[in-house]
Amino acid sequence: MIRALNQGYRKSPSMWYYVVLFALIWAIAWFVRDRQTISRFSDKSVFITGCDTGFGNLLAKRLSRKGFQVLAGCLTQAGADDLQKVCPVGLKSTLLDVTSSDSISYAVEWAKSQVGDKGLYGLVNNAGIANPIGPTEWMTVQDYRRVMEVNTFGTIAVTLAFLPLIKKAKGRVVNMASILGRISANGGGYCVSKYAVEAFSDSLRRDIQHFGIKVCIVEPGFFKTAVTNLESIEKSLQQIWQRMPEETQRSYGDSYFKQYLKIQRLIMNFICDPDISKVPKCIEHALQAVYPRTRYSPGWDAKFLWLPASYMPSFIVDAALAFVLPKPEYRAS
């Protein structure tokens, strides 16, 4: 019996050769498959929301240079004019407020006149806001509604309105979520809105795959954009703090508020990646790959911090955040 066990032990390493070989073949096959791209960008139109600044603005420029016919939705006329000046060829802009049904209807009719019978190849729901964010008790229902009107219901409304055009082209929908749509690291409507975008995108993908439409989710980490601008975040927090009832202010204490701002400043300065091109590159892949991925998580913090944390037991994440964030002046003993 011992001899048989020894023989089995001597033979067992060969099994690992097959495991490693299989893993290597799978990795190579995935690498090759992941890099297959569609041909002829010039006959494909892509509509992008939130093109005034940030990811949307950069994506519009990059896709235009690649040969796509870019339809850029901007919130302001100044944003539309500036983008049009930079990309006079291969890009057309229109005004779009994703919280307005009339504005969305106008954008759809405008897009129809641009794409004709071929339909819309790509829709990128990029428009989004973050403020107000902060401790949950500091918020009002209106604060949540304001963020979700843009990030969640804006994404849903635009997608449903453009869906007939996308079905014509058997196109693609790329929704901008966030790594904070997987783990809620702060209060306010931002994380809630991005969780909802994740759920909407998953159900949409499963429901419309039968029509040849692909749905991708982009979950960026922290990047230096208007959404993570410390000045606007701190100004918003100051306004929220000042409007709170005195009883609530006393329960937290002035030192909590000052420390919260300080820690937030340190975290943002450490985490935020200045290279915002990483996000448009992922969206480009989602639009031009023959086999796009279901999810993209650009940013070092997304891959090595937030994503792993989202799979950890809740008590570990709770303890880590409790260690980092300040403690209220009056709390349960």
Side-chain angles (χ1 to χ4, degrees), residues 51 53-63 65 276-278 280:
C51 290
T53 59
F55 301 139
N57 186 274
L58 184 56
L59 176 65
K61 295 172 184 174
R62 291 175 65 98
L63 292 183
R65 287 196 297 268
I276 69 170
S277 68
K278 292 174 182 176

Side-chain angles (χ1 to χ4, degrees), residues 36-41 44-48 59-60 62-63 66 68-70 120-125 170-175 214 216 218 280-293 296:
Q36 294 181 46
T37 60
I38 61 172
S39 58
R40 295 194 335 183
F41 300 154
K44 292 176 172 59
S45 299
V46 178
F47 191 99
I48 310 166
L59 176 65
R62 291 175 65 98
L63 292 183
K66 281 199 167 219
F68 283 97
Q69 298 302 305
V70 177
L120 184 67
Y121 172 74
L123 171 66
V124 180
N125 284 301
K170 296 182 180 178
R172 302 179 180 195
V173 178
V174 183
N175 288 335
K214 296 179 173 64
C216 303
V218 181
K281 284 177 183 176
C282 286
I283 300 174
E284 282 179 40
H285 186 277
L287 291 170
Q288 67 189 34
V290 175
Y291 306 102
R293 306 170 202 169
Y296 297 81

Side-chain angles (χ1 to χ4, degrees), residues 42-330:
S42 60
D43 65 345
K44 292 176 172 59
S45 299
V46 178
F47 191 99
I48 310 166
T49 68
C51 290
D52 298 74
T53 59
F55 301 139
N57 186 274
L58 184 56
L59 176 65
K61 295 172 184 174
R62 291 175 65 98
L63 292 183
S64 177
R65 287 196 297 268
K66 281 199 167 219
F68 283 97
Q69 298 302 305
V70 177
L71 307 178
C74 297
L75 181 62
T76 66
Q77 188 63 56
D81 292 342
D82 290 344
L83 187 56
Q84 196 72 70
K85 288 175 185 175
V86 177
C87 302
V89 179
L91 182 146
K92 294 181 181 179
S93 59
T94 188
L95 295 183
L96 173 62
D97 177 355
V98 299
T99 66
S100 166
S101 57
D102 289 340
S103 182
I104 294 171
S105 296
Y106 174 83
V108 171
E109 292 304 315
W110 175 79
K112 280 182 183 178
S113 69
Q114 302 297 322
V115 303
D117 294 334
K118 65 183 179 182
L120 184 67
Y121 172 74
L123 171 66
V124 180
N125 284 301
N126 165 74
I129 61 173
N131 285 327
I133 59 173
T136 301
E137 190 182 7
W138 298 13
M139 301 293 146
T140 65
V141 173
Q142 286 72 29
D143 292 332
Y144 281 87
R145 285 196 177 119
R146 178 169 175 258
V147 177
M148 295 189 73
E149 276 296 328
V150 178
N151 296 0
T152 304
F153 297 114
T155 294
I156 294 172
V158 170
T159 302
L160 295 179
F162 276 95
L163 210 48
L165 281 179
I166 299 167
K167 285 174 76 173
K168 277 188 178 182
K170 296 182 180 178
R172 302 179 180 195
V173 178
V174 183
N175 288 335
M176 184 69 74
S178 169
I179 202 64
L180 295 185
R182 286 187 176 232
I183 178 169
S184 189
N186 55 259
Y190 186 76
C191 294
V192 177
S193 71
K194 295 303 184 180
Y195 265 76
V197 169
E198 295 267 352
F200 170 70
S201 302
D202 281 338
S203 58
L204 178 70
R205 183 183 66 254
R206 291 160 187 153
D207 290 339
I208 63 175
Q209 62 180 322
H210 312 289
F211 302 104
I213 300 172
K214 296 179 173 64
V215 179
C216 303
I217 306 168
V218 181
E219 306 167 327
F222 285 58
F223 288 86
K224 285 190 181 296
T225 65
V227 170
T228 57
N229 180 269
L230 276 171
E231 185 179 343
S232 65
I233 291 173
E234 290 181 4
K235 182 180 178 181
S236 174
L237 279 169
Q238 288 281 359
Q239 292 171 345
I240 292 170
W241 177 257
Q242 290 167 8
R243 80 181 181 195
M244 276 196 302
E246 289 185 12
E247 182 181 352
T248 308
Q249 285 187 1
R250 284 197 301 270
S251 68
Y252 284 89
D254 289 334
S255 60
Y256 177 95
F257 179 66
K258 293 173 183 175
Q259 192 67 12
Y260 190 92
L261 290 177
K262 181 180 178 181
I263 291 171
Q264 183 173 250
R265 208 172 294 129
L266 288 171
I267 292 173
M268 287 291 196
N269 287 330
F270 172 68
I271 289 181
C272 282
D273 191 334
D275 182 11
I276 69 170
S277 68
K278 292 174 182 176
V279 177
K281 284 177 183 176
C282 286
I283 300 174
E284 282 179 40
H285 186 277
L287 291 170
Q288 67 189 34
V290 175
Y291 306 102
R293 306 170 202 169
T294 301
R295 281 175 166 81
Y296 297 81
S297 300
W300 71 267
D301 61 313
K303 292 180 176 66
F304 302 113
L305 178 61
W306 303 112
L307 203 54
S310 70
Y311 291 104
M312 290 181 181
S314 294
F315 77 91
I316 295 177
V317 179
D318 292 350
L321 290 174
F323 176 78
V324 172
L325 294 172
K327 309 294 186 293
E329 190 168 324
Y330 300 102

